[in-house]
Amino acid sequence: MDLSLETLIIFTNNFLPYPQENMFLWFVLYIIYFAPKLLALFILGDFFYEDFRICSVYVFTRKDNRVSWFTNKLFKMIKYILIYYVCITVIIAIVGVINGFNVDDVNNFLLIFISIVVLNGMVTLIFVLLTNILSLYTNAEISLVVTLLIYAVLHIPSFIKIDRLQDLIIKLSPALQSVIVWHDDSFLVKYNSSFDMPMISGFNVWWSLLILSLCLILIIFIGIKAIKTVEINDKY
């Protein structure tokens, strides 16, 4: 096993085993993978809802106020999420250095670092936005539960073997774009091969950026549409 710092940051919260017949032994890895993502979702899941309870009349009185408010919230989300994943990855790297892990290649390390932060950030932003948009129509708890159900369904290809369609479904699932170990980019091949996991042909960082960008454009469009048309009601 390669003990480089690159391998460490890939292996922590960016790793899922390729679906096999017996996945029970990988249970701990699933926890490590899901924990930071779910924590971000829980922390930011009521990002809109808090304002509804405090100043909804002001926010929703005029449509230009609504879009401006949504845009402001969106950029704050992006900032918080990126800082969150930068901090996680930096902490992992520091712990790795303290425990004797070394950078194998500076360029590869930087590419992996940026890929991890950006892909995790985009995936998390999609589901945080979804939760908050749903909270326009129901309470924060229900919107969070619905989002978690969707998130879980989109992860089915990561732990249930589907044979021929496995790779295609993984490549199209927005929730799985941050699983770096399945990507076949040239700067990842050396480190991913340490895990003895099959890399998916054509599943690279650029592909993930495309899928996530399309999903973000769609969810932002839906969010703007929703924020323009939602009615203030007594629950706020």
Side-chain angles (χ1 to χ4, degrees):
M1 173 71 75
D2 176 25
L3 295 180
S4 67
L5 204 56
E6 292 90 331
T7 303
L8 179 66
I9 62 174
I10 291 172
F11 186 76
T12 48
N13 62 317
N14 308 286
F15 174 89
L16 279 180
Y18 193 81
Q20 302 170 26
E21 286 73 16
N22 182 10
M23 302 297 291
F24 181 76
L25 296 176
W26 297 101
F27 181 70
V28 174
L29 295 177
Y30 279 96
I31 294 176
I32 295 172
Y33 170 83
F34 283 113
K37 298 167 179 63
L38 294 180
L39 178 60
L41 192 56
F42 284 124
I43 292 173
L44 295 173
D46 62 351
F47 203 60
F48 289 1
Y49 193 73
E50 286 299 315
D51 275 16
F52 299 160
R53 294 188 297 180
I54 298 170
C55 55
S56 60
V57 175
Y58 171 76
V59 171
F60 294 110
T61 300
R62 303 202 326 255
K63 288 189 177 181
D64 56 340
N65 275 359
R66 298 183 182 197
V67 176
S68 175
W69 174 85
F70 178 84
T71 304
N72 182 53
K73 284 289 186 180
L74 174 62
F75 280 107
K76 282 184 178 180
M77 279 183 182
I78 294 172
K79 180 179 73 172
Y80 295 153
I81 290 170
L82 288 178
I83 291 173
Y84 176 72
Y85 282 109
V86 166
C87 289
I88 288 176
T89 311
V90 167
I91 290 170
I92 292 169
I94 291 173
V95 171
V97 170
I98 292 172
N99 285 276
F101 288 79
N102 297 307
V103 173
D104 177 63
D105 183 286
V106 174
N107 289 333
N108 286 346
F109 177 80
L110 292 175
L111 285 171
I112 292 170
F113 188 100
I114 293 169
S115 299
I116 286 171
V117 171
V118 172
L119 294 184
N120 276 292
M122 292 177 76
V123 171
T124 300
L125 181 61
I126 288 169
F127 291 97
V128 167
L129 274 173
L130 176 60
T131 305
N132 281 276
I133 291 168
L134 290 173
S135 73
L136 293 169
Y137 302 99
T138 183
N139 62 53
E141 290 76 18
I142 293 176
S143 64
L144 182 59
V145 169
V146 172
T147 301
L148 288 174
L149 286 173
I150 295 171
Y151 190 68
V153 168
L154 290 173
H155 272 86
I156 287 176
S158 70
F159 56 87
I160 294 179
K161 198 167 179 61
I162 316 176
D163 296 325
R164 295 181 182 179
L165 295 176
Q166 191 84 45
D167 290 356
L168 178 60
I169 295 174
I170 287 174
K171 287 171 68 175
L172 293 176
S173 172
L176 296 173
Q177 300 303 316
S178 61
V179 186
I180 293 291
V181 75
W182 294 342
H183 288 64
D184 67 349
D185 299 82
S186 58
F187 65 91
L188 290 169
V189 171
K190 174 181 177 180
Y191 311 103
N192 287 348
S193 61
S194 301
F195 303 110
D196 195 27
M197 293 285 173
M199 286 169 278
I200 299 173
S201 178
F203 189 36
N204 53 52
V205 171
W206 289 112
W207 170 270
S208 293
L209 288 173
L210 173 63
I211 295 296
L212 293 174
S213 296
L214 292 174
C215 291
L216 273 174
I217 290 170
L218 177 62
I219 198 74
I220 290 171
F221 175 79
I222 292 171
I224 292 173
K225 193 79 172 177
I227 215 73
K228 283 183 176 181
T229 57
V230 68
E231 296 294 334
I232 302 172
N233 54 52
D234 293 337
K235 72 179 168 59
Y236 301 132

